[in-house]
């Protein structure tokens, strides 16, 4: 990879009391890449997203976005710098339609969203962008539905759509196909590939091995907060260290 990194984690450590959720984690995401993070439950994957997005403060290390140091900046500033995310546990707002979620785009807090919403209804740029994203994600017929009343797979899709409306440079997806059936997951895989074709870079956490293997350009494997392996999917799949982390423990 000769292109400068879009995202660069440098020696990130995050402690919770005696637990090292992240231990000296370093890696890059190049522009246009789809990069996967895999690892057992409790390995530190979501904590990594929380540090990148400013939800957690790193105890040491640096997060660089396109060469700019964004370490421990407040979440709204990191979002504005070009990083959007979805959540492992879906966070949609009660009593708001799909359309309203796309208008407000960033899920920082429910009260903030309710204050922002009226200004967005009056903003032609926001309306046009919401229309575009609604169509891209095939959500036109769901537009006026209460987002939380939708079937689970569609709620995940709305969350992803909301993250994209802000035109991020980097999209973080925390278990985007968890709980989905094969066809729903395949639709999400195709959407992620189309987003990449539009210039977006993607960093995703996922347990579904077939899904990551068929989607990601590159994989990082975490276990007990540390990176234990990385490489192209076919390399990682054959790595004895990875097999041990996944299978050895269960055996
Ligand atoms: N806010 C928090 N407070 C205390 N411990 C936490 C917190 N967030 C994560 N942890 C701990 O950090 C470790 C990694 O958790 P997490 O990042 O959620 O793992 P993963 O997403 O890989 O399943 C776990 O031991 C978890 O209990
Ligand atoms: Mg997690």
């Amino acid at each position: 990879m000769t292109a400068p990194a879009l995202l660069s984690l440098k020696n990130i450590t995050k402690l919770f009391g005696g637990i090292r959720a992240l231990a000296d984690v370093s890696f890059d995401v190049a522009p246009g890449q789809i990069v996967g993070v895999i690892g057992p439950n409790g390995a530190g994957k979501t904590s990594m997203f929380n540090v990148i997005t400013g939800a957690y403060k790193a105890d040491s290390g640096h997060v660089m976005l396109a060469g700019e140091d964004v370490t421990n900046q407040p979440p709204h500033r990191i979002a504005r710098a070009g990083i959007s995310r979805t959540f492992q546990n879906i966070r949609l707002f009660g009593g708001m339609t799909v359309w309203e979620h796309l208008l407000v785009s960033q899920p920082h807090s429910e009260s903030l969203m309710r204050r922002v919403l009226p200004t967005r209804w009056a903003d032609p740029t926001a309306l046009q962008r919401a229309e575009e994203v609604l169509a891209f994600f095939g959500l036109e017929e769901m537009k006026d539905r209460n987002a939380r009343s939708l079937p689970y797979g569609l709620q995940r899709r709305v969350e992803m759509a909301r993250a994209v409306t802000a035109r991020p440079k980097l999209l973080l997806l925390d278990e985007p196909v968890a709980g989905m059936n094969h066809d729903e997951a395949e639709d999400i895989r195709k959407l992620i590939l189309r987003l990449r074709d539009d210039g977006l870079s993607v960093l995703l956490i996922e347990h579904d091995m077939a899904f990551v293997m068929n989607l990601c350009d590159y994989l990082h494997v975490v276990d007990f907060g540390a990176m234990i392996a990385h490489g192209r999917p076919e390399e990682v799949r054959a790595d004895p260290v990875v097999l041990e982390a996944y299978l050895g423990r269960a055996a």
Side-chain angles (χ1 to χ4, degrees):
M1 265 303 145
T2 49
L6 175 62
L7 177 75
S8 191
L9 298 194
K10 297 184 187 297
N11 309 104
I12 294 287
T13 293
K14 176 65 192 172
L15 309 170
F16 290 108
I19 294 173
R20 288 205 301 176
L22 296 170
D24 200 26
V25 167
S26 300
F27 70 89
D28 289 352
V29 177
Q33 265 188 339
I34 300 174
V35 175
V37 176
I38 62 174
N41 278 328
K45 304 179 298 296
T46 297
S47 296
M48 180 192 294
F49 275 20
N50 284 334
V51 167
I52 294 169
T53 56
Y56 289 173
K57 295 233 180 295
D59 290 290
S60 60
H62 291 274
V63 180
M64 312 291 292
L65 180 67
E68 184 197 348
D69 193 336
V70 296
T71 319
N72 296 342
Q73 298 272 315
H76 67 271
R77 201 169 295 169
I78 292 178
R80 215 178 303 136
I83 300 180
S84 289
R85 74 175 294 181
T86 64
F87 295 88
Q88 182 172 347
N89 304 306
I90 301 172
R91 293 191 194 175
L92 297 173
F93 297 132
M96 283 173 65
T97 62
V98 169
W99 177 248
E100 288 168 332
H101 278 83
L102 297 192
L103 274 185
V104 295
S105 79
Q106 291 297 321
H108 296 312
S109 82
E110 188 149 358
S111 59
L112 179 65
M113 292 304 93
R114 289 186 191 287
R115 266 183 285 138
V116 163
L117 194 51
T119 68
R120 295 292 165 83
W121 273 109
D123 177 350
T125 310
L127 292 166
Q128 191 192 331
R129 179 61 178 162
E131 204 71 70
E132 266 171 33
V133 173
L134 195 73
F136 185 94
F137 281 85
L139 289 165
E140 295 103 322
E141 288 175 14
M142 308 295 150
K143 181 176 176 179
D144 297 320
R145 296 272 299 274
N146 179 331
R148 277 203 196 149
S149 74
L150 295 175
Y152 180 80
L154 282 175
Q155 290 195 34
R156 283 220 170 268
R157 191 181 275 242
V158 171
E159 244 213 351
M160 203 168 135
R162 170 176 65 181
V164 165
T165 53
R167 298 185 189 278
K169 300 184 185 102
L170 176 68
L171 179 62
L172 307 183
L173 301 172
D174 197 342
E175 305 198 14
V177 299
M180 287 190 183
N181 66 37
H182 177 270
D183 289 348
E184 290 171 325
E186 183 55 19
D187 287 346
I188 295 296
R189 194 180 73 85
K190 287 180 186 149
L191 281 168
I192 293 171
L193 287 169
R194 282 176 59 204
L195 287 168
R196 187 258 291 281
D197 290 343
D198 285 353
L200 192 60
S201 306
V202 180
L203 180 64
L204 65 96
I205 295 167
E206 189 46 67
H207 284 291
D208 182 331
M209 278 301 151
F211 181 83
V212 289
M213 295 288 165
N214 286 323
L215 175 62
C216 297
D217 303 309
Y218 210 79
L219 291 177
H220 294 279
V221 188
V222 283
D223 195 17
F224 295 113
M227 310 296 274
I228 59 166
H230 61 92
R232 292 193 309 277
E234 60 274 20
E235 295 167 338
V236 165
R237 181 165 36 197
D239 189 325
V241 173
V242 178
L243 294 174
E244 165 65 20
Y246 273 93
L247 306 174
R249 207 163 297 152

